[in-house]
Amino acid sequence: MKKVQNLKTISYASFNSVTELLDSKFDEYSSLKAITDEYNKIEMTYDELKQQVTLIASALQALGIKKGDKVGLFAESNGLWMANALGIEKCGAIDVIRGSNAPIDELKYITIHGDCKGLILRDVKLFNSLKPFLANYNLEFIIITYPNGEIDSRGISSKIYTHQEILELGKQKEFAPVEISKNDGMSILYTSGTTGNPKGVLLSHGNMLHQLGIAYEGILSQAGEKTLQVLPIWHAYERIAQYYFVSVGCHTPYTTLSGLKNDLIKYEVGCFMSVPRIWEALKNGVYQKLKQTSPILYKVFTFAIKVSITYKTHKMYGERRITNKLSYNAYSTVMHRIIRSFIKPLHVLFLNTLYKKIKKAVGLDKMRVSISGGGALSMQDELFYDAIGINLRIGYGLTETAPVLTLRGIQDKNFLGSAGKPVRDTDIKIVDPKTFEELPKFTKGLVIVKGPQVMLKYYKDSKATSEVITKDGYFFEL
């Protein structure tokens, strides 16, 4: 397989913290576009992003935030989310993150359990929903990012600021640098509480730096590449992706699920993080559109896909990259290669004509790679996108592992149907859930992992932590 040539190498391990890393990179990419959020009228270069981060950090220090303090950040994805999170982290504080559409009782629990000294809320609507709770819970401050309505602070003893007021406060105080190490806490992400209260996963700067290095090796973006932010940024998967994209100088427009199709076309996206639902919807949309507009073209496209999948299947056998095979018959391999050679001209014709037009119509013609995570993508969908020439890769991980454990990286052979190989510095075993003895290949069992991405602990829950981390340091999911 042809390797992607790396134009520039970033040594993530050489930095002591994510803050140190991004301060350096923001200077390097200062004039490049960093964030575009037309839905909230936000546009920032890397220099402007760094200025906002520093002002927010200065303001938080003026409000009494110190290293190790917790600040809640309750917001869905938006163009100011990154500035707020990085501002908290620059102080050496720990951001406690959750989406603003989460149940109010859950946000109340997280505020209390997470020992939040202050909250950064998305908008007035969320503030009003939390107001009865906030009236009886004394925080040092509340920041409302988008004050799109009247802020009624009656009954609230905490100081209330808008985002703009925080920036003004930051201008009045010079930021005092904070020494941060890899072992210091950086973020608390709360897992869904399906069987009780959610648990707070405490991740360190070291966890995140390791994951940024893994993302770099597996995606190989370069400064200026356009990506697209569509998934919830408070999830571990999208969180690490967005930190990675800013660490390499990408331009990140923010979109919504309803605006995704138009924005893929508008921004000529080269790389973005995705989930199976997106690929299912795009594929179904293609078939539905063709069926409605041209029944003949629909039949031609359906035939073409069958031909291309047949070609790709023979190609996979010929290249010995079938996920569930340990050995190959030499004669069979040769036969697959011969059959592939006969089908190839027709596949190439479809690739350069029909598929090219289809990809352009849905905004995938500039797509270099996408990593799909958060669930299994069906083999049918994997074969479809492989057939039309979309470089779709898969990863697997957990919130507690920051999150990536395995990845089909861009420089590896693309074994469809697999979650990829273990990422660097990571030991993964499949064991018997009762005896913890390692099982043979292709045997179903319990996944246990050890590596620099494993969380520090469940915040304020030593019992739960001890239940999922073995004495020799392996994490497993109950």
Side-chain angles (χ1 to χ4, degrees), residues 264-283:
L264 277 171
I265 299 170
K266 178 178 181 179
Y267 292 110
E268 298 184 329
V269 177
C271 175
F272 80 114
M273 299 298 105
S274 55
V275 291
R277 176 184 171 189
I278 289 174
W279 298 110
E280 292 163 7
L282 288 174
K283 187 188 78 170

Side-chain angles (χ1 to χ4, degrees), residues 44-117:
M44 279 189 277
T45 63
Y46 276 92
D47 183 59
E48 291 166 336
L49 176 58
K50 182 175 183 179
Q51 289 180 36
Q52 284 237 6
V53 170
T54 303
L55 289 175
I56 291 168
S58 297
L60 291 175
Q61 286 185 334
L63 294 172
I65 294 300
K66 301 179 181 63
K67 181 178 179 179
D69 287 344
K70 321 298 187 302
V71 178
L73 174 53
F74 299 159
E76 301 304 324
S77 305
N78 67 87
L80 293 176
W81 195 98
M82 187 66 75
N84 282 325
L86 295 178
I88 295 169
E89 293 153 16
K90 192 176 178 72
C91 298
I94 298 170
D95 55 45
V96 181
I97 61 175
R98 191 66 172 94
S100 51
N101 292 332
I104 293 301
D105 284 345
E106 187 173 319
L107 296 180
K108 288 156 56 176
Y109 172 82
I110 291 171
T111 301
I112 297 170
H113 182 268
D115 296 321
C116 296
K117 288 196 170 184

Side-chain angles (χ1 to χ4, degrees), residues 45-266:
T45 63
Y46 276 92
D47 183 59
E48 291 166 336
L49 176 58
K50 182 175 183 179
Q51 289 180 36
Q52 284 237 6
V53 170
T54 303
L55 289 175
I56 291 168
S58 297
L60 291 175
Q61 286 185 334
L63 294 172
I65 294 300
K66 301 179 181 63
K67 181 178 179 179
D69 287 344
K70 321 298 187 302
V71 178
L73 174 53
F74 299 159
E76 301 304 324
S77 305
N78 67 87
L80 293 176
W81 195 98
M82 187 66 75
N84 282 325
L86 295 178
I88 295 169
E89 293 153 16
K90 192 176 178 72
C91 298
I94 298 170
D95 55 45
V96 181
I97 61 175
R98 191 66 172 94
S100 51
N101 292 332
I104 293 301
D105 284 345
E106 187 173 319
L107 296 180
K108 288 156 56 176
Y109 172 82
I110 291 171
T111 301
I112 297 170
H113 182 268
D115 296 321
C116 296
K117 288 196 170 184
L119 292 180
I120 301 178
L121 306 178
R122 189 193 192 284
D123 51 27
V124 176
K125 178 182 176 182
L126 179 58
F127 170 74
N128 288 336
S129 297
L130 283 168
K131 192 174 177 184
F133 163 71
L134 296 174
N136 296 298
Y137 190 80
N138 189 30
L139 294 164
E140 294 186 13
F141 61 86
I142 300 167
I143 300 169
I144 301 176
T145 304
Y146 298 101
N148 48 354
E150 183 179 351
I151 302 174
D152 183 0
S153 60
R154 288 176 296 180
I156 305 295
S157 58
S158 308
K159 294 180 181 179
I160 300 175
Y161 302 86
T162 66
H163 180 77
Q164 193 58 44
E165 288 170 341
I166 283 296
L167 297 182
E168 292 301 319
L169 178 60
K171 292 176 183 178
Q172 299 169 23
K173 183 185 184 304
E174 185 176 352
F175 176 73
V178 180
E179 185 175 335
I180 306 171
S181 73
K182 291 179 181 178
N183 293 326
D184 287 328
M186 174 180 157
S187 188
I188 300 177
L189 289 72
Y190 278 82
T191 60
S192 57
T194 52
T195 57
N197 289 323
K199 295 189 285 289
V201 176
L202 177 59
L203 299 177
S204 69
H205 282 265
N207 291 149
M208 298 293 279
L209 285 169
H210 172 266
Q211 292 285 281
L212 290 172
I214 295 304
Y216 182 73
E217 294 161 14
I219 302 174
L220 290 178
S221 294
Q222 298 295 335
E225 182 173 45
K226 291 181 182 177
T227 180
L228 199 60
Q229 202 287 313
V230 59
L231 304 177
I233 200 168
W234 42 269
H235 279 179
Y237 170 48
E238 183 70 9
R239 172 79 176 277
I240 197 66
Q242 292 309 312
Y243 276 57
Y244 162 70
F245 287 132
V246 297
S247 78
V248 294
C250 288
H251 174 204
T252 303
Y254 280 62
T255 187
T256 62
L257 283 174
S258 60
L260 175 62
K261 290 182 180 179
N262 288 335
D263 287 339
L264 277 171
I265 299 170
K266 178 178 181 179

